[in-house]
């Protein structure tokens, strides 16, 4: 798929996003998803970490290695990362109630970021949590739990959320089958001690560990380079 074809597909799929929470939504297990790259080799690792929401403990995880030849194009990260993330999700034995994606959802130029794509593909309620803003916002108050609207054009596409007193905010947006109030509250609940939710932290740690292993075992091509 070319970048132009990918953009056309995003525009076609964007109306499929549901920004409402199911009436019976009572999540117990949240899965964090993350991807890391081995330089510019095209090799990547994708991780899923399932966290018990009540205790904050990791109860299941999976890691897969993969490759991508889709170019690095802002707004099209799903086309580099989604196939490996789906494989990692299939590898966990625990069925998560909600996915917390290290990437944006509706906070996206075409209102179809990685979190939306992941949610529409799996049918699981999904939240996007970004480290950087994809829109304009006023700084939230310094207290934990404070938030301000994230605005793109005339649309509220998410929230800048302060998860700990005085730390930089993170950016929460709807992925699929969840509303913004519920997504914000759940991300705050998962962010027990640190800026990032425990789901993202656990998946990121898995990726970092896997990268260390991959760097110590380069492919034959990388050895030649």
């Amino acid at each position: 798929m070319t970048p132009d074809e990918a953009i056309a597909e995003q525009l076609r799929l964007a109306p499929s996003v549901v920004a409402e929470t199911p009436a019976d939504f009572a999540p117990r297990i949240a899965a964090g998803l993350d991807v890391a790259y081995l330089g510019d080799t095209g090799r990547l690792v994708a991780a899923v970490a399932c966290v018990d929401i009540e205790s904050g403990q990791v109860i299941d995880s999976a890691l897969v290695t993969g490759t991508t030849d889709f170019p690095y194009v802002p707004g099209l990260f799903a086309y580099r990362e989604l196939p490996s993330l789906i494989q990692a999700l299939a590898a966990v034995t625990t069925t998560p109630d909600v996915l917390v994606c290290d990437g944006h959802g509706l906070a996206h130029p075409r209102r179809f970021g990685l979190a939306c794509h992941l949610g529409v593909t799996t049918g699981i309620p999904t939240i996007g949590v970004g480290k950087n803003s994809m829109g304009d916002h006023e700084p939230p108050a310094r207290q934990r739990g404070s938030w301000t609207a994230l605005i793109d054009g005339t649309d509220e596409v998410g929230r800048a959320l302060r998860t700990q007193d005085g730390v930089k905010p993170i950016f929460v947006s709807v992925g699929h089958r969840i509303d913004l109030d519920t997504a914000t509250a759940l991300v705050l609940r998962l962010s027990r001690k640190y800026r990032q939710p425990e789901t993202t932290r656990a998946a990121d740690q898995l990726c970092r560990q896997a990268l260390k292993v991959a760097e110590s075992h380069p492919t034959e091509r990388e050895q030649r380079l």
Side-chain angles (χ1 to χ4, degrees):
M1 184 175 290
T2 67
D4 285 344
E5 290 170 337
I7 289 171
E9 182 176 71
Q10 286 180 329
L11 293 171
R12 177 174 60 83
L13 292 176
S16 303
V17 173
V18 176
E20 297 178 358
T21 304
D24 59 350
F25 186 66
R28 296 182 301 107
I29 307 298
L33 300 96
D34 196 14
V35 171
Y37 297 89
L38 187 62
D40 57 359
T41 64
R43 293 173 65 195
L44 58 82
V45 291
V48 172
C50 294
V51 173
D52 180 89
I53 296 173
E54 184 66 28
S55 67
Q57 298 298 309
V58 177
I59 61 172
D60 195 5
S61 64
L63 188 75
V64 301
T65 58
T67 59
T68 181
D69 57 5
F70 195 89
Y72 181 91
V73 180
L76 296 180
F77 294 138
Y79 294 89
R80 291 170 61 85
E81 301 181 357
L82 189 65
S84 295
L85 288 173
I86 294 297
Q87 289 181 36
L89 266 176
V92 293
T93 58
T94 303
T95 301
D97 301 304
V98 60
L99 308 180
V100 182
C101 184
D102 183 29
H104 294 286
L106 291 180
H108 181 274
R110 289 171 290 281
R111 307 294 182 262
F112 200 73
L114 174 60
C116 294
H117 209 145
L118 185 65
V120 168
T121 300
T122 63
I124 301 172
T126 305
I127 303 169
V129 179
K131 301 179 185 70
N132 301 305
S133 172
M134 290 289 287
D136 299 321
H137 68 283
E138 295 293 329
R142 291 179 56 83
Q143 291 75 30
R144 167 180 161 84
S146 301
W147 60 266
T148 56
L150 185 64
I151 304 296
D152 183 25
T154 60
D155 297 333
E156 181 181 1
V157 295
R159 288 176 180 169
L161 173 65
R162 192 89 67 182
T163 54
Q164 304 298 329
D165 290 352
V167 303
K168 295 190 296 184
I170 57 175
F171 301 93
V172 179
S173 59
V174 167
H176 184 52
R177 299 188 67 215
I178 200 162
D179 64 88
L180 190 52
D181 284 340
T182 303
T184 302
L186 185 54
V187 169
L188 186 63
R189 186 179 177 188
L190 287 166
S191 303
R192 293 167 173 262
K193 298 179 181 179
Y194 303 97
R195 179 188 179 219
Q196 293 286 337
E198 294 300 324
T199 42
T200 301
R201 285 171 47 79
D204 177 73
Q205 289 172 3
L206 285 172
C207 285
R208 290 177 185 272
Q209 294 166 4
L211 283 183
K212 289 181 180 179
V213 174
E215 288 167 352
S216 64
H217 296 83
T219 65
E220 181 178 343
R221 177 178 179 274
E222 290 162 357
Q223 289 174 337
R224 293 199 303 271
L225 294 175

